Amino acid sequence: MGHERTRQVRGRIELINKWEKQIRPDERSSQDVIDFQLAASRARMEYVQQLQVKNSDDRNISKLRKDVREDLLRIIKINGPHQQPAREMLAQYGLGKERTNEIVEVPKVKNFDEAIKEAASRFETLQNELVTQSTLQETLAKETDENKKKEIRDQLNGVNETINRLQEQSGELYATGLRMFPQGGEMAQLNDARYRLAYIQLLRGNPRGAIAIGEFLSQTLAGDTTGLQAATVALAGYGKLISDADEEAQGRIASQLQPFAEFMVATWPEASQTQMAASTLVQLAMNAGDIDKARAYIDKLPGGSGKAGSLKRDLGARLAAEFFQEKFKLAEGAEMPAALISKRDAAIEVIEAGLKGVTKNDIDARAIDAINSLVRIYLSVGKLDQAFQWINNKELAPVPLLRSKALTVEQVTKMDSYRTALQASISMLSSTSGDAGQNSDAILKEIETLVAELRESAGSDSEGSKRLTAIFVSVAREIQDMIDSAKSPQIKQKLADGLVLLCKQVATSSDEFNTRFWAGRELSNVAAKLDASSSKTKQTLVQESAKLLQGILEKEAEKPGWIDVPNGAMAVRVFLAQSMRQAGQFQEAIDQLTKVLTQKEAALELQVAAAETYQAWGDSGSTEHYVQALDGALNNGKGGRVIWGWRGISKVLQTAMARDPSLKDSFVNARYNVSTVLFRHAQADAAKKDELLGKAAREIGSTRFLMPDMGGPENMKKFDALLKNIQKAQGKEPVGLSAK
Amino acid sequence: MYRQFLSLLCGMLVAAPCLAQDRDRVFLVKGVTATGKIESITPNQVSIAVKGVPQKYATNEISKIVFDDEPSSIDNARNFINNRQYNQAETELSKVAEQKDERINKEVKYLKGVVAAKMALSGMGNPMTAAGLLNSALAANPESHHTYQGAELMGDLAMSIGRSDMAVKYYSQVSQAPFPELKALAAYKLGDVALTANKLPDARKQFELLMSAKATDAETLRLKSLAEVGLTICDAKEGKHKEALAKLQELVKTNDSTDQALFARISNAMGLCYAALGQNEQAALAYLRTDLLFSSAPDLHAEALYQLSLILPKVNEPQEGVAAKNRLKTKYPASSWNNIK
């Protein structure tokens, strides 16, 4: 059976040999012939395997392997769909053993022709070795078996050595040949030798040599194919030079590159290599911040060029990034300068133009960046419909592409895509129009999914974790802004749900105290800003805030010292008390504050928080707590009280102010609250009304005596208004502070 | 019968010296080679009797003279010299024994001087020794048809060791030739000597003299291009670097880049301008162009290597700078560029 199969295969090989002889030289590059040769190589290797089983010393094996290798190397150099399978076969069948490794020493050449002939044969072998090198590198990257990896590495070392030798020898021979070029010799041959020498300079890591020759040839052969090839080598040389240089040198080389790239674009406007030069010019102009120039360079590219679109997308993304950076630096509430607005509009225009006609096949990481940038700009200017149009684009929306695994991108791009979609989904919550307003539950679900995807894409490394936290923080701020400006209670509630979801994610995304504290504090602060019309939303926020802050204290209890910030625990209790107070849990809030105050009585922030809590407790209807708000509570065993109340606070501050004038505002605030509490208590307790109103008015008078300017005009106004209300309640003429 | 044959043979032997000189050959730059008996040779003219009819040729029309009975090694050596394969030429000449024909001995002596001079100018020998050899060959044959080429070579050797005074002497001899192209060559060389010595008005005078020459033959046109570069270098040395660069770029476009010496000179001049303008990257590229593409003119290549050794460290390539310096020392040990402090 084995013999029969071997005979069949041998028959096939004979047939292949016969057909191969009939191939004409001009047919060798046709796809049919290339496909035939791929099949022939497969058949030959099958035959080799059979011969090896029979007799591994068979002399035909080596020859057949060498033939296969040469055929594959030849067809790999021809562009087409066969290149990948040919590379794979080359890797699969082994590369090292049959490699041409017989490189002789540099011969003594007598004239130009001899030198060029010797150089060309080495150049040809060099090309093959470079293919072998990249194939081996690919194979090594994919290989998991350590033994095989070692074998490939050894082969690679051999190939690298050969490449170095070939580069050195062919370079030397071309240089010798150039010196021997005869008067009246063939110019085309001379220029070809010069071009090859430039290419070898590039390979040998001598970019200046490549530029020196490449620029010269491109200028003396402007418009010619060899000139273009030489220009491409020079351009690559510049690329290498720039990538190896320090920042200062990079600028110098870039300014040298610019006129050359401009020359390339002007001389070979239609050539595909020119796109590389134009791309370089666009990058240089962008680096120099010259957007108009960058756009002008893009416009020079041939119409319908895919590269033009891609450069437009790059430029737009760059403009968008600059826009967001500059916007971030603006002071809160500051008006956007006209230049920034035009940068934003230019970003929209350029990205839209760059995305025109783009299909799924054109989408790469940079296109994703451009789409994300565009969506974020649209969201920032409230053009939600345009933003949703891209987010819901069936072919090009980044998140669905990532979910379908049709696209592999780096972590940053991935996270940026989820973040943009998250931002858009949250914006949908605040949208009252169309489907977005009606399907808020579905949107919340989508937010949950996106948050989970963001967390997953962040991975477990510290960089990813930092990035994740930064994203959550920035999105949370955007939601906070939306809550502030939303008019409908329903929308406020949905946005609050979104914010809670996000803050919880922030808290669980990090083990750092600061991050978790930020999440709890953020919810508490947002809740504090809401008025009575948003009580449900407020409740949601304060409850979740309290849970998060409570969780921090529990973690500290489990792992003392986890809160690594001075007075961190105290700050947590202040905000926890704030949340509990907002939730109506007054006793629990006081309990939290007392825990610290029993040990650190003089903590002013906590004393203020405790007085505010008793005051709010009194406001809630339990008027007896107004007394504690004023005079404090809980005996400290030393004749004083653990909680001082507004009166106690103001007394302490009155003395402390002499040493530290910055306490003046706190003192005035305490004095104001003394009168306020008395006034509110008077309103709630008819029996003591007159007495309490009189006290309230007298306290204002005392404050004025202690501090005639009342701490400044703003405070003066506040006290004046309060006094007028007191006077009104007393049935007096509301003359306020103007009464003597 | 036998007696008759013997007498014929004797007659042939007696006639042999005469017959030998009848087959001298004068190869012309253009036209058919003249074969016959050379009657006289001067620096300006060679007279040869072809089938008894005297023919006179100006030495500038002659590409080479091959003497009758000359060993083939001599002509091989001439070809090797033309192909810049001086070692092979030296080997061929060493095979030639002393000849009865003194003209051949003088030719061999001259060619040995030429080989030594060319080797020294390529950095492969001592220019002083070469000058000694060549000078002695020229002195031994003051009426040689090689007189002007010999003087030019002597001038080049003098330049290579920084003796501009001697160079002026030899190039001035060349300028005495009655041929316009040699006058043009001498003007160029004298201009170059003045330029090297920074005597810019003298240099300008010589270059402008050459530019005004009416001759339009290829060699004079080439010399005119070289003179144009020389004038541009004068401009550069006078501080007009930008204008000089524009002119040099124009020359790159309008000249034949197979002329290595011309292009080496242009590239080096560009390097000079860029360096003066503080554009070290561009200066390095210009000198690298000479090094990589136009290195067949030894003095210009040596200059490029020297400049590269100074400029490469300024573009963060100190090791490459040292490598250039080492190559200069190894390749052109006798070059005056090695002695610049």
Side-chain angles (χ1 to χ4, degrees):
Chain A
M1 186 70 189
H3 283 298
E4 179 56 26
R5 175 77 185 140
T6 306
R7 214 173 51 231
Q8 279 176 2
V9 175
R10 194 170 55 222
R12 259 165 55 195
I13 299 296
E14 279 164 9
L15 208 54
I16 285 168
N17 291 342
K18 200 173 142 193
W19 286 342
E20 266 184 345
K21 280 182 191 157
Q22 291 169 12
I23 298 171
R24 291 198 313 268
D26 60 327
E27 291 173 335
R28 292 180 82 85
S29 301
S30 77
Q31 198 56 50
D32 286 348
V33 171
I34 289 169
D35 290 344
F36 163 75
Q37 292 213 295
L38 261 183
S41 296
R42 261 191 214 104
R44 285 191 173 113
M45 285 314 294
E46 191 187 338
Y47 187 40
V48 164
Q49 281 156 5
Q50 287 175 2
L51 290 178
Q52 271 177 327
V53 173
K54 276 172 69 182
N55 173 14
S56 60
D57 292 333
D58 191 322
R59 280 188 301 170
N60 287 319
I61 293 175
S62 177
K63 188 186 175 307
L64 279 162
R65 285 177 67 105
K66 192 164 178 278
D67 288 349
V68 168
R69 186 184 131 75
E70 279 172 6
D71 280 345
L72 290 174
L73 284 170
R74 190 183 60 77
I75 61 175
I76 280 172
K77 281 185 236 157
I78 302 167
N79 284 335
H82 61 276
Q83 282 173 306
Q84 192 51 33
R87 273 176 176 277
E88 283 165 10
M89 279 170 71
L90 206 53
Q92 184 189 346
Y93 297 144
L95 297 149
K97 291 163 194 166
E98 281 71 35
R99 282 184 33 250
T100 318
N101 211 3
E102 305 147 359
I103 302 158
V104 288
E105 292 308 306
V106 182
K108 286 207 165 154
V109 288
K110 290 191 192 118
N111 51 44
F112 174 80
D113 288 339
E114 270 185 32
I116 297 309
K117 193 179 155 203
E118 290 291 339
S121 84
R122 281 161 179 78
F123 192 81
E124 182 75 14
T125 317
L126 173 63
Q127 300 294 308
N128 287 343
E129 291 301 305
L130 288 170
V131 174
T132 309
Q133 184 190 48
S134 69
T135 310
L136 279 172
Q137 282 164 343
E138 275 174 27
T139 316
L140 182 64
K142 285 180 200 158
E143 188 55 67
T144 50
D145 184 302
E146 277 307 318
N147 289 332
K148 282 188 182 161
K149 270 186 171 181
K150 191 186 171 305
E151 198 181 307
I152 298 168
R153 266 191 218 107
D154 289 345
Q155 284 182 32
L156 200 50
N157 287 340
V159 172
N160 291 341
E161 215 174 279
T162 310
I163 286 174
N164 285 340
R165 213 150 16 123
L166 286 166
Q167 285 173 356
E168 201 178 310
Q169 291 193 358
S170 51
E172 193 183 324
L173 283 161
Y174 277 122
T176 309
L178 290 179
R179 278 195 293 274
M180 292 176 156
F181 185 73
Q183 201 79 33
E186 181 56 55
M187 242 351 234
Q189 258 190 320
L190 173 69
N191 286 328
D192 184 59
R194 286 168 168 171
Y195 159 69
R196 286 171 186 232
L197 182 60
Y199 178 67
I200 290 165
Q201 293 296 321
L202 189 66
L203 291 179
R204 293 184 72 182
N206 179 11
R208 281 192 183 83
I211 298 168
I213 305 175
E215 271 195 352
F216 172 77
L217 275 184
S218 65
Q219 276 153 5
T220 50
L221 298 172
D224 179 283
T225 314
T226 308
L228 175 61
Q229 285 176 319
T232 311
V233 167
L235 195 65
Y238 273 117
K240 169 97 177 92
L241 210 53
I242 289 176
S243 69
D244 291 350
D246 58 34
E247 208 171 312
E248 185 264 325
Q250 276 181 350
R252 203 176 56 226
I253 300 162
S255 64
Q256 191 179 319
L257 162 62
Q258 187 168 324
F260 178 67
E262 279 174 354
F263 160 77
M264 261 186 95
V265 172
T267 312
W268 295 277
E270 300 299 323
S272 60
Q273 293 94 325
T274 298
Q275 294 181 4
M276 217 158 68
S279 167
T280 310
L281 285 170
V282 173
Q283 289 299 329
L284 288 174
M286 283 199 273
N287 289 348
D290 195 339
I291 302 306
D292 290 341
K293 206 173 207 177
R295 292 177 77 171
Y297 286 137
I298 293 175
D299 292 341
K300 280 185 187 172
L301 283 167
S305 145
K307 190 72 186 169
S310 131
L311 283 172
K312 280 180 187 166
R313 296 194 288 272
D314 287 355
L315 176 63
R318 170 75 176 258
L319 283 168
E322 283 178 13
F323 163 71
F324 283 116
Q325 269 172 17
E326 287 168 35
K327 186 178 168 237
F328 182 76
K329 285 182 199 158
L330 287 179
E332 208 177 319
E335 208 168 302
M336 214 187 288
L340 195 54
I341 293 172
S342 55
K343 188 171 270 186
R344 179 194 69 197
D345 296 345
I348 294 176
E349 185 198 326
V350 176
I351 299 178
E352 284 281 14
L355 289 170
K356 209 171 246 176
V358 164
T359 67
K360 200 173 173 179
N361 295 334
D362 302 319
I363 291 291
D364 56 10
R366 282 150 72 176
I368 294 270
D369 277 345
I371 295 173
N372 287 335
S373 303
L374 186 62
V375 169
R376 282 210 300 278
I377 293 189
Y378 278 143
L379 291 175
S380 78
V381 292
K383 291 187 175 174
L384 303 186
D385 288 346
Q386 282 98 322
F388 299 158
Q389 206 178 317
W390 281 105
I391 284 292
N392 298 325
N393 188 306
K394 284 187 182 139
E395 269 221 317
L396 309 175
V399 167
L401 281 173
L402 292 174
R403 283 177 185 159
S404 69
K405 302 206 187 307
L407 194 68
T408 312
V409 292
E410 284 185 10
Q411 187 195 47
V412 182
T413 310
K414 206 183 233 183
M415 290 181 78
D416 204 37
S417 302
Y418 290 127
R419 174 243 162 102
T420 306
L422 179 63
Q423 206 176 330
S425 297
I426 288 163
S427 300
M428 282 186 207
L429 284 176
S430 66
S431 164
T432 50
S433 65
D435 292 346
Q438 292 158 12
N439 296 323
S440 51
D441 287 340
I443 298 169
L444 276 176
K445 188 118 189 91
E446 173 69 358
I447 290 175
E448 210 171 333
T449 310
L450 286 167
V451 166
E453 284 169 329
L454 249 176
R455 289 175 65 83
E456 196 192 326
S457 61
S460 54
D461 61 295
S462 65
E463 265 313 298
S465 175
K466 272 186 200 162
R467 205 171 281 145
L468 183 66
T469 306
I471 288 175
F472 283 150
V473 168
S474 79
V475 176
R477 284 204 177 125
E478 282 157 20
I479 304 177
Q480 196 180 322
D481 290 346
M482 287 181 207
I483 292 175
D484 286 348
S485 55
K487 291 193 173 67
S488 142
Q490 287 82 5
I491 290 175
K492 268 189 203 281
Q493 181 58 42
K494 288 295 169 195
L495 287 167
D497 290 344
L499 183 65
V500 168
L501 196 71
L502 213 66
C503 285
K504 278 183 172 174
Q505 290 294 341
V506 173
T508 45
S509 72
S510 170
D511 195 40
E512 278 182 6
F513 161 70
N514 271 333
T515 310
R516 290 201 187 183
F517 181 40
W518 176 86
R521 200 177 54 197
E522 191 71 6
L523 291 177
S524 179
N525 280 341
V526 176
K529 283 188 194 169
L530 294 175
D531 57 25
S533 65
S534 312
S535 59
K536 196 181 164 203
T537 307
K538 195 170 181 136
Q539 280 303 312
T540 310
L541 294 172
V542 294
Q543 278 167 11
E544 294 302 334
S545 162
K547 277 186 206 164
L548 288 174
L549 295 167
Q550 194 73 51
I552 291 175
L553 294 174
E554 282 163 11
K555 173 109 183 172
E556 173 66 11
E558 271 170 36
K559 204 173 161 186
W562 175 72
I563 296 179
D564 52 357
V565 173
N567 299 323
M570 190 176 83
V572 173
R573 286 190 196 281
V574 171
F575 278 95
L576 181 56
Q578 178 179 288
S579 289
M580 286 171 160
R581 190 178 74 221
Q582 290 183 92
Q585 298 168 326
F586 300 110
Q587 187 56 57
E588 289 84 346
I590 290 294
D591 289 347
Q592 283 300 330
L593 297 169
T594 309
K595 275 180 192 161
V596 188
L597 287 170
T598 45
Q599 289 162 16
K600 203 172 178 182
E601 199 175 88
L604 181 67
E605 258 185 281
L606 266 74
Q607 289 292 358
V608 169
E612 280 174 350
T613 306
Y614 277 123
Q615 188 174 333
W617 204 345
D619 289 344
S620 73
S622 305
T623 53
E624 67 276 20
H625 294 296
Y626 280 134
V627 179
Q628 287 153 320
L630 266 184
D631 299 320
L634 303 170
N635 196 320
N636 66 2
K638 296 179 228 164
R641 289 183 164 175
V642 173
I643 295 171
W644 299 340
W646 291 121
R647 275 204 180 103
I649 293 170
S650 65
K651 265 185 206 163
V652 170
L653 287 175
Q654 193 181 336
T655 316
M657 225 172 26
R659 291 190 309 272
D660 183 359
S662 70
L663 295 170
K664 189 173 150 185
D665 282 348
S666 303
F667 169 74
V668 173
N669 183 48
R671 292 297 306 162
Y672 178 79
N673 279 317
V674 168
S675 297
T676 303
V677 168
L678 285 167
F679 173 63
R680 287 189 191 167
H681 195 179
Q683 285 182 311
D685 190 340
K688 295 181 181 171
K689 184 182 172 187
D690 291 343
E691 180 198 344
L692 290 169
L693 285 173
K695 279 184 180 175
R698 279 196 296 280
E699 288 289 351
I700 293 175
S702 303
T703 308
R704 201 174 186 190
F705 173 74
L706 291 167
M707 192 174 278
D709 71 347
M710 308 293 271
E714 281 302 309
N715 287 328
M716 187 77 91
K717 265 190 213 165
K718 269 168 65 181
F719 277 103
D720 186 54
L722 178 60
L723 184 59
K724 278 178 180 163
N725 284 334
I726 293 167
Q727 287 163 342
K728 260 193 236 167
Q730 284 175 323
K732 293 179 183 173
E733 192 187 346
V735 291
L737 290 171
S738 60
K740 297 283 174 185
Chain B
M1 181 67 187
Y2 177 70
R3 221 174 259 256
Q4 266 181 342
F5 176 69
L6 198 64
S7 108
L8 184 63
L9 186 65
C10 286
M12 280 175 76
L13 284 171
V14 171
C18 299
L19 283 173
Q21 292 205 344
D22 281 351
R23 292 205 58 78
D24 293 330
R25 281 172 290 164
V26 175
F27 288 80
L28 303 175
V29 178
K30 280 179 195 166
V32 183
T33 303
T35 306
K37 182 183 175 186
I38 290 176
E39 293 178 332
S40 68
I41 295 178
T42 70
N44 298 336
Q45 198 178 62
V46 172
S47 174
I48 180 168
V50 179
K51 292 181 183 168
V53 181
Q55 289 186 11
K56 292 184 171 145
Y57 297 102
T59 48
N60 66 333
E61 294 171 358
I62 298 168
S63 62
K64 68 179 175 183
I65 294 175
V66 176
F67 296 107
D68 197 2
D69 261 355
E70 182 185 282
S72 61
S73 285
I74 298 177
D75 205 38
N76 290 344
R78 289 192 192 100
N79 291 334
F80 281 127
I81 291 169
N82 286 340
N83 287 333
R84 301 185 196 121
Q85 293 166 283
Y86 306 121
N87 282 322
Q88 286 97 318
E90 197 176 34
T91 309
E92 287 297 317
L93 290 171
S94 69
K95 292 177 193 167
V96 184
E98 185 75 13
Q99 302 290 306
K100 280 185 186 163
D101 186 344
E102 201 46 39
R103 299 176 309 166
I104 297 174
N105 291 332
K106 285 177 181 172
E107 176 74 0
V108 171
K109 192 171 184 183
Y110 171 74
L111 290 175
K112 282 183 176 172
V114 169
V115 168
K118 295 272 185 187
M119 285 173 90
L121 291 170
S122 308
M124 293 185 286
N126 185 331
M128 293 298 285
T129 313
L133 273 176
L134 185 60
N135 195 36
S136 141
L138 291 169
N141 192 8
E143 288 302 299
S144 164
H145 61 291
H146 296 302
T147 298
Y148 300 124
Q149 285 86 344
E152 183 198 351
L153 264 180
M154 285 299 290
D156 292 348
L157 284 169
M159 277 297 280
S160 77
I161 53 169
R163 289 291 303 271
S164 54
D165 54 332
M166 296 298 289
V168 169
K169 181 188 142 192
Y170 288 111
Y171 293 145
S172 298
Q173 280 180 22
V174 179
S175 72
Q176 299 306 309
F179 314 121
E181 69 272 18
L182 283 186
K183 284 190 184 297
L185 174 71
Y188 173 70
K189 295 274 182 178
L190 286 167
D192 197 34
V193 175
L195 190 60
T196 308
N198 269 328
K199 293 177 181 169
L200 302 184
D202 291 352
R204 268 190 193 285
K205 196 175 143 195
Q206 292 294 344
F207 293 140
E208 277 162 4
L209 179 73
L210 169 52
M211 294 299 286
S212 66
K214 289 200 175 98
T216 53
D217 61 286
E219 186 51 27
T220 308
L221 288 177
R222 176 180 175 268
L223 287 169
K224 281 187 176 184
S225 296
L226 281 165
E228 223 175 334
V229 181
L231 284 169
T232 312
I233 298 173
C234 289
D235 288 344
K237 288 194 171 184
E238 283 164 358
K240 295 174 204 155
H241 299 110
K242 284 186 181 162
E243 295 84 342
L245 269 175
K247 180 75 194 159
L248 291 164
Q249 271 148 1
E250 198 51 41
L251 287 170
V252 168
K253 285 183 198 159
T254 51
N255 280 285
D256 172 11
S257 71
T258 60
D259 188 338
Q260 296 214 16
L262 174 66
F263 272 72
R265 197 154 283 262
I266 293 175
S267 299
N268 286 359
M270 286 175 123
L272 171 86
C273 294
Y274 281 125
L277 290 168
Q279 296 177 25
N280 293 329
E281 281 288 350
Q282 292 283 24
L285 292 182
Y287 288 120
L288 273 172
R289 213 162 283 145
T290 301
D291 181 30
L292 292 164
L293 295 181
F294 311 117
S295 63
S296 67
D299 52 337
L300 295 169
H301 188 212
E303 178 189 348
L305 288 176
Y306 170 76
Q307 298 295 354
L308 282 170
S309 74
L310 300 184
I311 216 127
L312 286 171
K314 292 181 187 167
V315 294
N316 297 333
E317 298 285 1
Q319 286 180 336
E320 293 297 315
V322 172
K325 183 120 193 154
N326 290 338
R327 283 174 61 213
L328 171 63
K329 274 186 197 159
T330 317
K331 205 166 165 56
Y332 307 108
S335 167
S336 57
W337 289 103
N338 278 306
N339 306 323
I340 296 175
K341 298 285 175 205

